[in-house]
Amino acid sequence: MAKTALVTGAGRGIGAGIVEKLASEKWNVAVCDLKSVEEGNAQCAELARKYGVEARYYRADISSASDRENLVKSVAADFGALDALVNNAGVAPKVRADILEMTEESFDFVVGVNLKGTFFLSQAVGRYFAERKAGGVIVNIGSCSATVASISRGEYCMSKAGVAMITKLFAVRMAECGVNVYEIRPGVISTPMTSVVKAKYDKLIAEGLTLQPRWGYPEDIAKAVAMLVRGDLGYSTGQVINVGGGMDIARL
Ligand code: NAD
C-alpha cells in the first residue's frame, strides 16, 4: 500500500519540489500551505494526474494550535494513515533589520512559524506515531543559518538553530517508537523566498561561496528528502544532511 507524507509549506518553492518528488516515487501526499484552497486543489489535481497518487490540499497555518490539531486529525482520517512528516514551512523576516533594530513583532512572527510551529506539529505527529506503533519518519528542513550568523536576520538564524535542537530532541524521544528524525540543512536555494536577494547571492556564488558553483534547486532538497523517507539512511537517526554545494566547509 502506498505510504502518505505530510509536507508543510508545500505550495511553492522547496516544499512544492518535495511533494513533486515524493509523488513521483508513488507516495500519497498531504500538501499543507497558506495559499488559497482553489490554488492548492489545482496543485493536488495536477500531482494526482501526473503520478497516479492521492494528493490532498490542507490550508493550515502551522503557527496556529487549532490548525495543527485539525491538520493531523484530517490527514490521518482522509488517508487512513500518516507515515512521514516533512517540516518544511518557514518564513524569513518581512523586513531585514540589524539585530540592534529588530522588533519583537518580527521575532514573534519568525519564531512562531519556524520554531514553535515546527516543534508543536512534530509533537502532534510524534504522539500519533507513538500511538500507531508503526514507525515513521520526520524530516526537518533547517538552514545553514542554524550555524552561520546573519546580523540582518537574527530571528531567522535563532529559529533555525532551534530547529537543529528539535531534530535532536525528537530523534532521542522517538527512537523507542522506531521513528527516525533528520534535519536537512539547505544552503542557498533558488525559490520565491530568495528571489529578493538574487543579485547578492549571484555575486557571492560567482566569488566562490559554494564549492559547486551554482544555486541549489528545490529538486536538490527533494532528492535528499526522498532518500530519507525511503529509509536509505535508516541507521543514522538524528543526523544533519547538508545540501548546500559544500558551502558549509570552513576555508582559510
Ligand atoms: P518559500 O517562501 O518560497 O515557500 C515557503 C512556503 O511555506 C510558502 O508556500 C508559504 O505559503 C508556506 N508557509 C509559510 N508560512 C506558513 C505557515 N505558517 N503555515 C503553513 N505554510 C506556511 O520558501 P522556500 O525557500 O521554499 O523555503 C522552504 C524552507 O526551506 C523554509 O523552512 C526555509 O527556511 C528553508 N530554507 C530555504 C533556503 C533557501 O535558500 N530558499 C535555505 C535554507 C533553508
Side-chain angles (χ1 to χ4, degrees):
M1 207 179 89
K3 289 186 169 182
T4 299
L6 165 59
V7 184
T8 64
R12 71 178 201 190
I14 291 172
I18 294 170
V19 286
E20 184 89 26
K21 176 70 178 164
L22 295 185
S24 80
E25 297 200 357
K26 296 296 173 201
W27 281 75
N28 290 330
V29 287
V31 174
C32 158
D33 204 276
L34 295 176
K35 72 183 180 185
S36 74
V37 171
E38 292 71 29
E39 288 176 295
N41 285 346
Q43 181 187 2
C44 288
E46 182 60 9
L47 288 169
R49 189 194 61 75
K50 259 168 100 175
Y51 302 111
V53 298
E54 196 176 339
R56 289 171 183 267
Y57 183 63
Y58 300 85
R59 186 165 196 266
D61 178 347
I62 63 151
S63 68
S64 148
S66 57
D67 278 16
R68 286 191 303 267
E69 195 189 338
N70 290 336
L71 176 65
V72 178
K73 274 192 193 148
S74 305
V75 171
D78 294 345
F79 289 88
L82 173 60
D83 304 283
L85 166 66
V86 183
N87 282 308
N88 167 77
V91 290
K94 289 175 185 156
V95 177
R96 286 185 172 223
D98 183 276
I99 53 169
L100 298 185
E101 310 297 333
M102 184 206 302
T103 62
E104 282 197 37
E105 190 190 3
S106 182
F107 180 99
D108 289 344
F109 168 63
V110 173
V111 169
V113 176
N114 298 4
L115 186 63
K116 192 183 86 172
T118 299
F119 175 81
F120 283 104
L121 187 60
S122 302
Q123 182 192 66
V125 173
R127 285 176 180 157
Y128 167 85
F129 283 158
E131 214 168 280
R132 184 176 170 227
K133 296 187 173 62
V137 181
I138 298 177
V139 180
N140 296 322
I141 306 301
S143 172
C144 53
S145 298
T147 60
V148 179
S150 299
I151 55 172
S152 63
R153 50 189 187 118
E155 58 279 66
Y156 184 80
C157 298
M158 288 186 275
S159 72
K160 291 298 186 177
V163 168
M165 180 50 75
I166 291 176
T167 304
K168 291 185 191 189
L169 290 168
F170 277 86
V172 173
R173 178 62 184 84
M174 301 307 294
E176 69 181 45
C177 306
V179 174
N180 285 357
V181 185
Y182 305 93
E183 176 187 344
I184 290 177
R185 198 168 281 178
V188 182
I189 312 298
S190 177
T191 69
M193 181 187 272
T194 48
S195 59
V196 287
V197 283
K198 183 171 183 311
K200 173 184 169 179
Y201 286 109
D202 279 347
K203 183 165 180 286
L204 288 173
I205 290 169
E207 289 167 357
L209 174 72
T210 52
L211 301 184
Q212 294 166 279
R214 67 164 175 88
W215 281 75
Y217 298 104
E219 307 86 88
D220 293 312
I221 307 301
K223 283 183 202 164
V225 172
M227 167 186 83
L228 295 176
V229 297
R230 212 187 289 130
D232 290 359
L233 283 190
Y235 192 52
S236 301
T237 194
Q239 301 308 302
V240 177
I241 316 293
N242 283 290
V243 185
M247 69 173 279
D248 55 292
I249 297 175
R251 283 168 282 166
L252 274 176

